[in-house]
Amino acid sequence: MSKIYDVIVLGAGPAGLAAGLYAGRSRLSVLIVEKGQDGGQISITDEIENYPGQVVDQPESGPSLIARMTEQAKKFGAERVSDTIKEVSLEGEVKVLKGEKGEYQAKNIIIATGAHARPIGCKGEAEFLGRGVSYCAVCDGPFFKEKTAAVVGGGSAALQDALYLAGICSKVYLIHRRDTFRAEKSLIDQVMAEENIECVMESRVTALIGEKKLTELEVTNLSGEKKTLVADGLFVAIGMEPHNEVFRDLVDLDEAGYVIAGENCKTRTPGVYAAGDCRTKTVRQLTTAAADGTVCGLVCKAV
């Protein structure tokens, strides 16, 4: 018979680690299950300067921040195992999770599996990640102050990113594969009114060019014609993909696949919570993920 934990946290990103920390400080037995490296999207971020309490002129890297969060959760008793959960049973007082390496049981489950930005899939995208390519304008936009940036996407998120960057960068290209945007009319009007935003329609980014960092984008239109745009940064805003498929029949998901849970982070299933980027929410940032984890770690009950 495997050990029955008070809490199992699925995911070791900021939300999961914060949950493990708070649950551990509440003297609950905690197991954090992570299939990859700790940190999620933050682990591939070179510089973080918008986390409260940091020295302003000394931004730290994502890996260094996550390493400290991991050590802090461990200090308060959170155990950790590397495994990929394949099957879950969340009904009843004791929840059962079956992974590739073992079976785990707990009275409370915190889903903190995160989400990842949908990539373009073009040549050079992975190579320049963190060296010009970003999936978060709010996180990384300030690094491109008075430089040229590009945004890929045609929805509200992409236009919001373009407008945000327009207030920071000298020029912003907004690249969309269709001839019209899918965003709200008010956002479209705002974009059209910005003098330093240039819309590149019916086009897609097909290659990224540079040496140590991104310097140019190859853009191809529907006719197959290619042109090069000089840009210091590329912000991809074509959607996010949560990692919630294994829970589809056990908790409610919205049409985009996010776990439906309110500010108390509770799902429709008793004893099951959702924290961080995997749940329905308006803002997905490092601080909001940690806040969710805090809530979950405090509301869980002991076995």
Side-chain angles (χ1 to χ4, degrees), residues 99-121:
E100 293 179 347
K101 300 178 181 179
E103 181 176 295
Y104 315 96
Q105 300 183 60
K107 189 168 185 179
N108 299 278
I109 301 294
I110 299 174
I111 302 170
T113 47
H116 68 275
R118 187 177 294 117
I120 302 171

Side-chain angles (χ1 to χ4, degrees), residues 108-214:
N108 299 278
I109 301 294
I110 299 174
I111 302 170
T113 47
H116 68 275
R118 187 177 294 117
I120 302 171
C122 71
K123 179 181 178 182
E125 183 175 10
E127 177 185 351
F128 291 108
L129 181 61
R131 295 190 292 135
V133 174
S134 173
Y135 299 92
C136 181
V138 174
C139 305
D140 300 327
F143 296 119
F144 297 88
K145 183 179 180 180
E146 297 180 358
K147 296 182 178 181
T148 299
V151 176
V152 176
S156 294
L159 271 65
Q160 287 171 339
D161 284 354
L163 289 167
Y164 173 74
L165 292 169
I168 299 172
C169 303
S170 59
K171 185 177 181 62
V172 178
Y173 292 106
L174 180 55
I175 305 166
H176 184 40
R177 61 180 179 173
R178 296 190 172 91
D179 60 351
T180 57
F181 292 115
R182 296 175 288 106
E184 300 168 15
K185 181 64 165 56
S186 61
L187 289 174
I188 297 174
D189 291 342
Q190 291 177 61
V191 164
M192 295 305 174
E194 288 288 344
E195 294 183 357
N196 63 336
I197 296 180
E198 180 179 334
C199 298
V200 183
M201 308 300 287
E202 296 185 294
S203 300
R204 56 193 179 92
V205 177
T206 48
L208 306 183
I209 304 164
E211 293 185 6
K212 293 184 178 181
K213 61 181 181 179
L214 178 68

Side-chain angles (χ1 to χ4, degrees), residues 41 115-119 135 236 238-241:
Q41 296 183 72
H116 68 275
R118 187 177 294 117
Y135 299 92
V236 181
I238 57 175
M240 299 288 291
E241 296 178 348

Side-chain angles (χ1 to χ4, degrees), residues 217-282:
L217 316 176
E218 179 191 84
V219 178
T220 305
N221 66 19
L222 294 182
S223 300
E225 298 175 347
K226 300 181 185 295
K227 67 177 180 179
T228 301
L229 303 178
V230 176
D232 303 287
L234 173 65
F235 293 86
V236 181
I238 57 175
M240 299 288 291
E241 296 178 348
H243 306 290
N244 295 327
E245 192 58 36
V246 70
F247 310 108
R248 177 166 294 279
D249 297 326
L250 304 168
V251 297
D252 291 330
L253 304 182
D254 68 12
E255 60 183 13
Y258 293 96
V259 178
I260 296 176
E263 292 304 308
N264 62 7
C265 296
K266 293 182 178 180
T267 71
R268 68 170 169 84
T269 304
V272 179
Y273 308 85
D277 287 358
C278 70
R279 84 166 180 91
T280 51
K281 58 196 310 179
T282 303

